Amino acid sequence: MGEKKEFARMALVASSAGPAQAAARQLEKSCPWVPLDEADAVIVLGGDGFMLQILHQMLDARRVIPAYGINLGTVGFLMNRYRQNGKLAEKVAKARHISVSPLHMTAITQDGARHEHSAINEVSLLRETRQTAKIEVEVGGKIRIPELACDGVLLATPAGSTAYNLSANGPILPLGSNLLALTPISPFRPRRWRGAILPDKSKVVFRVLEPDKRPVAAVADQKEVRDIAEVHLQVAGERELTLLFDPGHSLDERIVSEQFVA
């Protein structure tokens, strides 16, 4: 978590959805907005998907600035509540700074090609056909599961632990816990294995078994790579992101609250 501060130059970006565009028109004259590549912070109007898109855009450009999201989408877990009458610049200056480190994925396909992507939420391996996937799971240089028969498997960050990971019955991880969630998707064998909680220093490798008969795709947030041979994962601490949250509505509080929802 960083210090609270005022940002001299802010950018405003909005998803193409109607509510986000309407809010952008209302906010146009509230600040002297600058382009994203000149800003000290960015205001993101939309939902979680659009926030992830903007965060990935900054990672790809290798210029990362704090992001304050305003929820005008559906879930909005990474966003703040939309208040039409709020003084936005003051709210951003008072916001709490939450640091989030993405996963770095190196995916090697059956033809030997290497694909590298970042994942803020999770990296998931998913079967491509009706055939059950068979995947070897290595953690910390040791093979922990020689053959996981499943629909897939994922590795989630704390920020992503309430997304796909939670729907696959994975654990919710508080921010700052320095943990990762390793979660199987519809596991068939080992039948009783429900996943593991790992230190975020762990290096995880997934190797696809019988790839010709049981092809597997890897998805890093919104980027998909098909016909996987193996996937190498570790936290990219040097690519840290900063999310801004209103006091009392921060991401760590939402993670705690989510665990008490019936």
Side-chain angles (χ1 to χ4, degrees):
M1 300 183 187
E3 296 295 329
K4 299 175 183 178
K5 60 176 290 187
E6 293 186 11
F7 297 99
R9 298 173 299 173
M10 295 196 297
L12 179 68
V13 296
S15 75
S16 59
Q21 289 295 313
R25 289 191 292 270
Q26 292 179 347
L27 292 171
E28 279 178 352
K29 297 181 180 179
S30 65
C31 291
W33 304 109
V34 300
L36 183 59
D37 59 1
E38 299 176 10
D40 301 317
V42 57
I43 309 301
V44 182
L45 307 179
D48 286 343
F50 187 63
M51 173 62 89
L52 286 174
Q53 179 182 326
I54 295 301
L55 294 175
H56 277 288
Q57 181 179 326
M58 292 193 291
L59 283 173
D60 292 342
R62 297 188 180 278
R63 185 177 186 275
V64 176
I65 58 177
Y68 179 94
I70 298 178
N71 186 27
L72 290 153
T74 51
V75 179
F77 193 80
L78 300 175
M79 319 296 276
N80 296 283
R81 294 177 183 174
Y82 178 46
R83 296 181 178 88
Q84 292 187 356
N85 299 323
K87 295 182 179 180
L88 187 57
E90 293 181 10
K91 290 170 65 65
V92 174
K94 295 177 181 178
R96 297 180 65 211
H97 294 216
I98 304 296
S99 298
V100 176
S101 294
L103 291 168
H104 178 77
M105 176 185 83
T106 301
I108 303 171
T109 55
Q110 292 298 320
D111 61 5
R114 296 171 66 90
H115 303 263
E116 299 195 24
H117 296 295
S118 296
I120 298 162
N121 275 357
E122 78 281 315
V123 170
S124 54
L125 270 67
L126 304 165
R127 63 186 176 97
E128 293 183 16
T129 68
R130 61 183 178 82
Q131 294 283 354
T132 299
K134 291 187 177 181
I135 300 169
E136 179 187 271
V137 180
E138 175 185 306
V139 178
K142 297 181 180 180
I143 295 174
R144 307 294 179 169
I145 301 181
E147 182 180 290
L148 172 64
C150 56
D151 281 354
V153 63
L154 63 84
L155 187 68
T157 67
S161 66
T162 58
Y164 192 6
N165 173 70
L166 181 59
S167 69
N169 297 315
I172 295 175
L173 303 176
L175 289 176
S177 63
N178 299 320
L179 298 172
L180 299 171
L182 175 60
T183 303
I185 302 169
S186 301
F188 177 72
R189 189 172 58 247
R191 190 174 296 275
R192 291 187 174 85
W193 188 65
R194 292 294 177 264
I197 296 175
L198 307 175
D200 66 358
K201 302 298 183 185
S202 302
K203 295 183 179 180
V204 177
V205 180
F206 299 128
R207 295 186 181 88
V208 178
L209 308 176
E210 303 178 32
D212 293 336
K213 180 180 180 182
R214 307 172 187 275
V216 169
V219 182
D221 286 349
Q222 300 158 338
K223 299 288 182 68
E224 182 184 51
V225 182
R226 299 179 71 84
D227 297 324
I228 291 296
E230 58 186 66
V231 169
H232 297 250
L233 299 169
Q234 64 184 84
V235 169
E238 74 283 359
R239 308 195 74 189
E240 189 175 82
L241 298 158
T242 300
L243 300 178
L244 303 177
F245 290 98
D246 294 334
H249 297 284
S250 61
L251 185 53
D252 48 355
E253 169 60 25
R254 294 185 190 194
I255 287 175
V256 172
S257 298
E258 189 72 24
Q259 298 175 80
F260 295 92
V261 175

